[in-house]
Amino acid sequence: MAVRTRVWVLPRRLLRGAAGAAALMALGAVLAWWRVQAQAPPPVMIDPGHGGVDGGASADGLLEKAVTLDVALRLRRHLEAMGVPVRLTREGDEDLGGPLTRGRHRRDLAERVRRTHECGAALLVSLHANSSRDPTERGFLVFYQKDAPASRELAERLDRALAPLARRREPPIARTDLYVLRNCRPPAALVELGFLSNGADRARFRDEQHMERVAMALAFSIYEFYQSLIGTR
Ligand SMILES: [Zn+2]
């Protein structure tokens, strides 16, 4: 009984002053926030590569940074329609590397990883567009972090989903030198959406229907992988 009495005495003392009441309200707000945070499902992080001062690869007036953002915005729309919370590392034409000094590119990549970790994302999909000296090279390529089984599974799902939109299917490629994949804690994959250096791929990047199909294919495979992750928590 003594314990119960003490439990009641503390709030009453606290409530005596206006400061005490404010403190209790603040504590309540923190607890409510914590409860929402604890129950909210983790988001999927979509990373449109490059942006701002960094246009990425380019050809015939088409910039990689615009292609990646275009697909990212479509992808977010489809995933949200499926009930999956989505974050983007960038929402507009901006770079994340800060001042234009040495190391800007590395800082830009680090910030993408930091934002992924900060929001507690369940997975990361980074979007890029390729370029080659060989103008006949075309098509999708999907990369994963070597020796990271979840990263590989995500890449395989993305690759399978994109296969019907490709002339020739390339299996996902293991890498150890891609900063975002190497440093991301949750499963991560990087998709090269096609070659800006190839005329046919460039035409596809300008084709609204094709871009929608790509976004849909990515959305379905991400949705499946996300469900399998969340279901096992
Ligand atoms: Zn790129």
Side-chain angles (χ1 to χ4, degrees), residues 24 71 75 140:
L24 273 184
V71 172
L75 180 50
F140 303 102

Side-chain angles (χ1 to χ4, degrees), residues 80-138:
E80 284 182 345
M82 295 170 180
V84 177
V86 178
R87 297 284 186 88
L88 301 183
T89 53
R90 65 177 177 100
E91 306 246 340
D93 182 16
E94 52 175 341
D95 79 281
L96 309 179
L100 297 177
T101 53
R102 206 168 157 223
R104 188 210 65 79
H105 186 235
R106 176 54 64 91
R107 288 197 301 276
D108 175 88
L109 297 176
E111 179 61 13
R112 290 165 201 264
V113 173
R114 195 194 66 77
R115 290 183 183 192
T116 303
H117 291 164
E118 184 186 48
C119 72
L123 64 102
L124 167 76
V125 174
S126 190
L127 302 172
H128 287 259
N130 231 328
S131 186
S132 169
R133 268 187 222 161
D134 175 0
T136 66
E137 244 190 301
R138 61 178 297 193

Side-chain angles (χ1 to χ4, degrees), residues 21-97:
L24 273 184
M25 279 174 71
L27 179 66
V30 167
L31 285 174
W33 173 85
W34 181 78
R35 229 176 284 132
V36 168
Q37 293 295 309
Q39 286 173 2
V44 161
M45 183 60 104
I46 304 298
D47 172 40
H50 310 277
V53 292
D54 175 8
S58 66
D60 194 24
L62 203 55
L63 293 172
E64 181 181 357
K65 67 175 181 177
V67 172
T68 60
L69 185 60
D70 183 348
V71 172
L73 293 173
R74 292 172 196 270
L75 180 50
R76 175 168 68 178
R77 186 159 41 81
H78 291 309
L79 280 170
E80 284 182 345
M82 295 170 180
V84 177
V86 178
R87 297 284 186 88
L88 301 183
T89 53
R90 65 177 177 100
E91 306 246 340
D93 182 16
E94 52 175 341
D95 79 281
L96 309 179

